[in-house]
């Protein structure tokens, strides 16, 4: 309590203020106008309600009262005494009390350790702040985390731990003046002693925190302005702020952004919650539930509570209820805990434009998406879309992904899609999907044409940009192909798929090529175009010639393509059919049939003047000749292909020549090694490796490294091991686990032989 006898300095300052004002016959209003200090603040000072006005404020009042010399210094000294005098504060019980911690709190060990490090910082240590912001989207457990940490650390804070719910996601978030008032009362300041002016409240707050060790928690902050005045100054006190927003405008604070829980922690959390049940859930069923909820603590809490409240349910029962994406959010409700309501609170904070973008982004089928694709779906300017997406990231409704892309949590995506269907008409949703599909497949065609012999070079700045777009956006354009086919947009499908023929050689390990070309064929059937049907069946046949596929279906597909091509009078597709038949026969060991088909294909390619295709047929003929034991013929075939690929005047498309050259060089080196001319072959093989280093064709790079290892053996086993280990790294990067293991096993065996 504050002793308010006449000797109390603030009372003396109040008396001095009243005396000086009355001497000049100034009203409070006149003094306020002359000093720039509000009437309310002046009234508080005269009544002794302000513990100690700030020096700048007092100086303004002294100027207005025309005080100078000794009277002015005395006046300022009285105000300073009011600021610096220790006040006797009553203990305010029950105010800003820390909530109880969740009994079955699980996980977040790294995050708890981070908060502990922040709390135990040395006051004034360089690069460290007394304020930490813990941010993250709805349902990530920010409050539970901070409350848990505060309970474990509260003995560290002799001045108390004070918790304020800022209601940032509510209809009426607390203002900073109200938050300050609550904390000041919790610190023992009586209501009548709390300054009216917000800045003066903040000054008193910092003064009190400077002399104590206090932990203040502001939960669910809406903005920087709501908490900026609560940042402690010098001293040992700490401020922890939780917010769905990043609060990027706060300077000099330490930051922790929460992500969904790892599966192992999510599983442990769910297991602890359902431990109250008499039966033990099956681990696999519980794991399935964890995966469906995506590590979101609130969703895990709701699911666990439902299982406890419904003991006759099994985990499989709940999984069944959640298996329908249309019902999942509705099922994630337990009493007053509702996952959709948590998302809705964030959604309601958005301006209309950001809401539109939020809903539109849910149309994109892939795991992550670009601002450009979102702008197409939403029909908004790209710059505006980027700003709105960043707002969604700031509020935790989206996650920033690599490469400047964006990503939904699965449950948030479901909520966005529900809002789309609720707030937009069916016609608007269909139009948005149509815009997306059309743009994706049109852009896909343009990107693929960069790699065609006579393709146009448009939209993208370079082949590398076109290549990157095809790979990154595959999770969008591949479903778009199926959607267009279902909608009957077959011309759109075949145009896009046809443009991918040469590009597919650059991305051999992608697993969807067979389905892509089959979609092209099916659309060609609807269009009644025999030549297109032959073309796409040829490409399907090609997918079965890849090393990890069963080669036998290639014979059937290529044979059907040959019949269709001849019926359509399409000589080019007839030649490709023969080339793929040659590959199939070669891999099945029927070398005479392979040679016959390869020669026939080469003859047709030469007749058509297709240098790009002809070069590939020469390589095929070289492979067959080597297998037949005719090294001279093999070298002749490869040398011809080498001249075509190396000579810029040969007529080959440069990008196809660049992709072909390392393959040809490696094949020549291989034959030279077969004939004991390893010294001649090694430089060619090493050049092939260099040409593919960092290239997009990772499978081909790994294969040539394997071939390099074979060339080094038996004379240079150490070099062979290094090549195999490099090959293993590349195979592993593209998910070729079996080949990865083979490389490492072979390297181990070579090392063991060398050691013995």
């Amino acid at each position: 309590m504050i002793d308010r006898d006449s000797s109390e300095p603030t009372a003396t300052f109040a008396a001095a203020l009243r005396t000086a004002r009355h001497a000049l016959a100034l009203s409070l209003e006149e003094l306020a106008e002359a000093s720039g200090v509000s009437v309310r603040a002046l009234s508080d000072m005269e009544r002794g309600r302000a513990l100690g006005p700030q020096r700048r404020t007092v100086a303004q009042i002294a100027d207005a009262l025309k005080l100078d010399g000794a009277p002015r210094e005395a006046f300022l000294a009285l105000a300073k005494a009011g600021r610096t005098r220790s006040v006797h504060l009553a203990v305010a019980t029950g105010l800003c009390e820390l909530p109880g911690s969740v009994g079955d709190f699980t996980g977040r060990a790294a995050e708890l350790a981070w908060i502990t490090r922040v709390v135990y910082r040395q006051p004034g240590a360089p690069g460290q702040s007394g304020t930490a912001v813990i941010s993250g989207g709805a349902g990530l457990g920010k409050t539970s985390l901070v409350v848990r940490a505060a309970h474990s650390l509260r003995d560290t804070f002799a001045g108390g731990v004070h918790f304020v719910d800022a209601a940032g996601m509510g209809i009426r978030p607390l203002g900073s003046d109200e938050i300050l008032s609550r904390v000041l009362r919790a610190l023992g300041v009586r209501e009548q002693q709390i300054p009216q002016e917000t800045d003066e409240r903040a000054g008193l707050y910092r003064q009190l925190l400077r002399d104590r060790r206090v932990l203040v928690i502001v939960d669910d902050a809406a903005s920087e302005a709501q908490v900026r005045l609560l940042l402690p100054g010098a001293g040992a006190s700490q401020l922890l702020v939780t917010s769905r927003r990043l609060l990027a405008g706060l300077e000099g604070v330490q930051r922790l952004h929460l992500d969904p829980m790892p599966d192992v922690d999510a599983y442990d959390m769910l297991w602890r919650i359902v431990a109250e049940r008499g039966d033990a859930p099956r681990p696999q069923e519980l794991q399935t539930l964890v995966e469906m909820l995506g590590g979101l603590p609130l969703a895990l809490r709701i699911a666990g509570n439902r299982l406890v409240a419904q003991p006759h349910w099994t985990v499989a029962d709940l999984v069944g209820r959640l298996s329908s994406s249309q019902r999942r959010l509705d099922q994630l409700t337990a009493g007053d805990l509702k996952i959709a309501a948590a998302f809705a609170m964030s959604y309601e904070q958005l301006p209309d434009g950001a809401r539109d973008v939020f809903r539109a982004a849910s149309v994109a089928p892939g795991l992550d998406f670009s601002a450009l694709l979102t702008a197409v779906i939403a029909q908004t300017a790209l710059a505006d879309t980027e700003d709105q997406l960043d707002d969604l990231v700031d509020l935790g409704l989206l996650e920033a992904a690599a490469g400047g892309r964006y990503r939904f949590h699965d449950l948030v995506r479901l909520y966005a899609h529900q809002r789309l269907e609720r707030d937009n008409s069916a016609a608007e949703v269909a139009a948005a999907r149509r815009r997306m599909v059309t743009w994706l497949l049109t852009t896909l065609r343009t990107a693929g044409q960069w790699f065609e012999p006579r393709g146009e070079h448009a939209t993208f700045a370079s082949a590398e940009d076109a290549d990157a777009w095809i790979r990154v956006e595959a999770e969008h354009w591949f479903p778009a192909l199926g959607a267009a086919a279902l909608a009957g947009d077959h011309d759109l499908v075949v145009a896009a798929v046809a443009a991918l023929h040469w590009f597919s050689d650059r991305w051999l390990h992608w697993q969807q090529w067979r389905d892509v070309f089959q979609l092209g064929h099916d659309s060609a059937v609807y269009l009644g175009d025999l030549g297109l049907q032959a073309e796409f069946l040829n490409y399907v046949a090609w997918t079965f010639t890849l090393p990890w596929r069963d080669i036998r279906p290639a014979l059937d597909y290529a044979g059907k393509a040959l019949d269709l091509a001849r019926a359509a009078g399409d000589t080019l597709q007839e030649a490709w059919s023969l080339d793929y038949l040659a590959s199939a026969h070669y891999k099945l060991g029927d070398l005479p049939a392979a040679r016959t088909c390869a020669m026939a294909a080469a003859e047709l390619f030469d007749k058509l003047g297709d240098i790009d295709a002809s070069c590939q047929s020469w390589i095929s003929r070289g492979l067959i000749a080597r297998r037949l034991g005719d090294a001279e013929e093999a070298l002749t075939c490869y040398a011809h292909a080498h001249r075509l690929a190396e000579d810029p005047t040969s007529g080959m498309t440069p990008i196809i020549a660049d992709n072909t050259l390392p393959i040809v060089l490696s094949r020549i080196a291989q034959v030279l090694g077969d004939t004991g001319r390893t010294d001649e072959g090694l430089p060619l093989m090493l050049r092939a490796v260099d040409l593919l280093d960092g290239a997009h064709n990772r499978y081909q790079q790994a294969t040539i490294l394997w071939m390099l290892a074979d060339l080094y053996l038996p004379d240079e086993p150490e070099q062979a091991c290094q090549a195999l280990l490099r090959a293993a790294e590349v195979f592993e990067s593209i998910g070729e686990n079996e080949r990865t293991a083979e490389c490492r096993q072979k390297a181990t065996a070579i090392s063991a032989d060398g050691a013995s």
Side-chain angles (χ1 to χ4, degrees), residues 442-451 454-467 469-470:
T442 301
T443 308
L444 178 62
R445 178 185 182 184
T446 304
Q449 285 178 336
W450 273 85
F451 310 97
R454 287 166 291 280
E456 296 181 3
H457 293 176
T459 303
F460 297 93
S462 66
E464 287 71 23
D465 288 347
D467 182 297
W469 187 92
I470 293 173

Side-chain angles (χ1 to χ4, degrees), residues 372-579:
L372 181 56
L373 178 59
T374 310
V376 169
I377 300 169
Q379 282 189 304
T380 51
L382 178 58
D384 292 339
T385 305
E386 289 173 336
D387 290 342
Q388 289 152 353
L389 288 170
D390 288 341
D391 286 344
L392 293 170
V393 171
D394 181 62
L395 197 49
L397 287 169
L398 281 182
E399 303 168 19
R405 296 168 72 80
Y406 302 87
R407 176 179 299 168
F408 279 112
H409 186 280
D410 288 346
L411 295 178
V412 179
R413 181 193 291 275
L414 288 178
Y415 177 76
H417 191 70
Q418 284 188 1
R419 294 302 305 229
L420 175 72
E421 294 183 333
R422 182 188 312 170
D423 299 346
N424 296 79
S425 69
E428 288 173 331
V429 175
R433 294 186 189 283
R434 171 69 180 174
R435 282 194 302 274
M436 177 186 70
V437 168
T438 301
W439 180 80
L440 283 168
L441 298 190
T442 301
T443 308
L444 178 62
R445 178 185 182 184
T446 304
Q449 285 178 336
W450 273 85
F451 310 97
E452 291 288 306
R454 287 166 291 280
E456 296 181 3
H457 293 176
T459 303
F460 297 93
S462 66
E464 287 71 23
D465 288 347
D467 182 297
W469 187 92
I470 293 173
R471 293 170 191 256
V472 170
E473 298 295 346
E475 60 181 350
H476 294 113
W477 61 253
F478 178 58
L481 283 171
L486 286 173
D489 294 329
H490 300 298
D491 287 318
L492 194 61
V493 173
V494 298
V497 174
L500 293 172
H501 171 212
W502 287 99
F503 173 80
S504 61
D505 278 330
R506 297 167 63 93
W507 198 14
L508 292 175
H509 63 277
W510 193 53
Q511 299 298 312
Q512 306 299 330
W513 286 124
R514 191 262 183 193
D515 295 326
V516 167
F517 295 131
Q518 187 66 56
L519 278 170
H521 168 264
D522 294 346
S523 284
V525 171
Y526 276 101
L527 295 174
D529 189 317
L530 296 180
L532 281 175
Q533 292 175 48
E535 179 177 353
F536 295 126
L537 282 182
N538 272 328
Y539 301 160
V540 173
W542 167 79
T543 67
F544 286 99
T545 68
L546 297 174
W548 51 88
R549 299 294 298 272
D550 181 357
I551 188 63
R552 288 169 295 183
L555 284 175
D556 184 47
Y557 282 107
K560 291 178 180 177
L562 181 61
D563 293 340
L564 286 168
R566 286 171 174 168
D570 191 326
T571 305
L572 178 61
Q573 292 310 316
E574 181 183 356
W576 277 116
S577 299
L578 290 165
D579 189 71

Side-chain angles (χ1 to χ4, degrees), residues 509-679:
H509 63 277
W510 193 53
Q511 299 298 312
Q512 306 299 330
W513 286 124
R514 191 262 183 193
D515 295 326
V516 167
F517 295 131
Q518 187 66 56
L519 278 170
H521 168 264
D522 294 346
S523 284
V525 171
Y526 276 101
L527 295 174
D529 189 317
L530 296 180
L532 281 175
Q533 292 175 48
E535 179 177 353
F536 295 126
L537 282 182
N538 272 328
Y539 301 160
V540 173
W542 167 79
T543 67
F544 286 99
T545 68
L546 297 174
W548 51 88
R549 299 294 298 272
D550 181 357
I551 188 63
R552 288 169 295 183
L555 284 175
D556 184 47
Y557 282 107
K560 291 178 180 177
L562 181 61
D563 293 340
L564 286 168
R566 286 171 174 168
D570 191 326
T571 305
L572 178 61
Q573 292 310 316
E574 181 183 356
W576 277 116
S577 299
L578 290 165
D579 189 71
Y580 293 131
L581 283 169
S583 294
H585 286 305
Y586 170 80
K587 292 190 175 184
L588 289 168
D590 189 349
L591 299 182
R595 184 183 182 92
T596 299
C597 290
M599 296 295 290
E603 183 179 346
L604 290 177
F605 284 136
D606 289 342
K607 179 180 177 181
L608 290 168
D610 191 328
I611 304 301
D612 295 308
S614 179
C615 185
Q616 310 311 311
S617 72
W618 280 99
I619 295 174
S620 297
R621 289 162 63 185
L623 285 170
I624 296 166
R626 177 178 179 251
R627 180 74 68 83
L628 288 169
D630 192 341
E632 185 176 348
E633 174 65 15
L635 285 174
T636 299
C637 293
Y638 290 146
H640 185 75
H642 181 211
R643 285 193 296 273
L644 293 175
E646 192 87 271
D647 183 1
T649 67
S650 67
M652 280 194 76
T653 303
I655 199 166
I656 297 174
D658 290 343
N659 195 50
T660 302
L661 182 57
I663 298 172
V664 175
L665 290 171
S666 66
R667 294 301 180 184
I668 295 173
Q670 195 175 39
V671 176
L672 290 173
D674 293 342
T675 56
R677 298 157 65 185
T678 302
D679 290 345

Side-chain angles (χ1 to χ4, degrees), residues 94-402:
L95 296 178
C96 301
E97 183 63 24
L98 183 66
S101 179
V102 177
D104 51 20
F105 183 93
T106 308
R108 300 296 194 196
E111 292 84 354
L112 287 169
W114 184 89
I115 293 174
T116 301
R117 288 195 299 273
V118 169
V119 166
Y120 282 105
R121 71 178 178 87
Q122 290 296 320
Q128 297 189 21
S129 165
T131 300
V133 174
I134 294 88
S135 61
L140 283 170
K142 301 178 293 296
T143 303
S144 296
L145 171 68
V146 171
V147 168
R148 182 72 167 193
H151 274 285
S152 66
L153 297 167
R154 68 184 311 162
D155 290 344
T156 305
F157 293 93
V161 176
H162 305 295
F163 180 96
V164 180
D165 181 356
M169 293 295 107
I171 298 175
R172 297 183 186 86
L174 297 185
S176 58
D177 57 342
E178 175 61 21
I179 298 174
L180 283 165
S181 176
R182 293 189 183 189
V183 176
L184 287 172
R185 293 203 307 273
L187 290 170
V189 180
R190 288 186 169 185
E191 179 69 34
Q192 63 268 30
Q193 297 297 328
I194 297 176
Q196 292 296 320
E197 294 297 319
T198 302
D199 286 347
E200 294 189 4
R201 289 185 185 184
L204 176 58
Y205 163 83
R206 288 191 294 273
Q207 176 187 340
L208 295 175
L209 262 61
R210 184 172 59 244
D211 300 327
R212 309 177 184 192
R213 181 160 172 77
V214 176
L215 175 61
V216 178
I217 300 170
V218 178
D219 186 47
D220 190 23
S223 66
E224 292 88 344
Q226 202 179 18
V227 296
R228 182 171 279 114
L229 293 178
L230 282 98
L231 270 63
S237 292
Q238 302 274 338
L239 173 66
L240 298 180
V241 180
T242 73
S243 178
R244 295 191 187 186
R245 297 187 180 276
L246 297 174
L247 303 185
L250 292 180
E251 298 179 354
V253 303
Q254 300 188 71
R255 299 182 181 279
L256 173 66
H257 187 75
L258 290 191
D259 293 317
M261 298 176 75
D263 278 357
V264 62
D265 288 345
Y267 182 93
D268 192 22
M269 176 181 175
L270 198 52
W271 182 272
R272 283 175 175 242
I273 296 172
V274 301
E276 296 180 30
R277 291 168 52 107
D279 59 331
R282 295 178 180 177
Q284 186 54 52
E285 292 177 348
L286 210 60
Q287 184 61 42
T288 300
L289 185 56
V290 165
E291 292 169 0
M292 294 179 77
L293 301 179
L296 200 65
L298 178 58
L300 293 162
R301 172 71 53 192
I302 291 171
N305 287 358
R306 292 202 73 182
L307 287 170
V308 172
Q310 302 283 351
H312 59 283
W313 283 7
T314 66
V315 176
D317 290 332
L318 182 55
V319 168
R321 287 170 175 262
L322 296 174
S323 60
S324 169
S325 60
Q326 288 81 8
R327 298 180 59 205
R328 189 169 302 161
L329 294 183
D330 295 335
Q331 290 295 318
L332 288 173
T333 300
D336 61 351
L337 294 178
K338 298 182 180 181
I339 196 72
F343 299 150
M345 292 177 71
S346 294
Y347 180 77
E348 296 300 331
Q349 301 291 317
L350 299 170
D352 289 343
R355 291 184 188 184
D356 292 341
V357 166
F358 176 70
R359 298 193 304 272
S362 70
V363 175
L367 182 63
D368 54 50
F369 49 88
S370 67
L372 181 56
L373 178 59
T374 310
V376 169
I377 300 169
Q379 282 189 304
T380 51
L382 178 58
D384 292 339
T385 305
E386 289 173 336
D387 290 342
Q388 289 152 353
L389 288 170
D390 288 341
D391 286 344
L392 293 170
V393 171
D394 181 62
L395 197 49
L397 287 169
L398 281 182
E399 303 168 19

Side-chain angles (χ1 to χ4, degrees), residues 23-100:
L24 294 176
L26 292 174
S27 67
L28 280 174
E29 289 76 12
E30 289 170 329
L31 180 56
E33 182 177 356
S35 65
V37 179
S38 71
V39 172
R40 176 177 289 181
L42 290 168
S43 176
D44 285 347
M45 293 177 201
E46 287 196 356
R47 288 183 292 161
R49 293 184 63 181
L51 287 177
Q54 299 299 304
R55 178 177 178 82
R56 183 178 60 180
T57 301
V58 178
Q60 290 174 243
I61 296 171
D63 291 341
L65 293 172
K66 301 182 174 15
L67 296 176
D68 55 17
R72 180 184 180 91
E73 292 302 320
F75 188 75
L76 295 175
L78 286 172
K80 181 178 180 181
R83 288 195 299 274
T84 57
R85 178 180 169 87
S86 297
V87 293
H88 304 285
L89 301 175
V91 176
T93 59
L95 296 178
C96 301
E97 183 63 24
L98 183 66

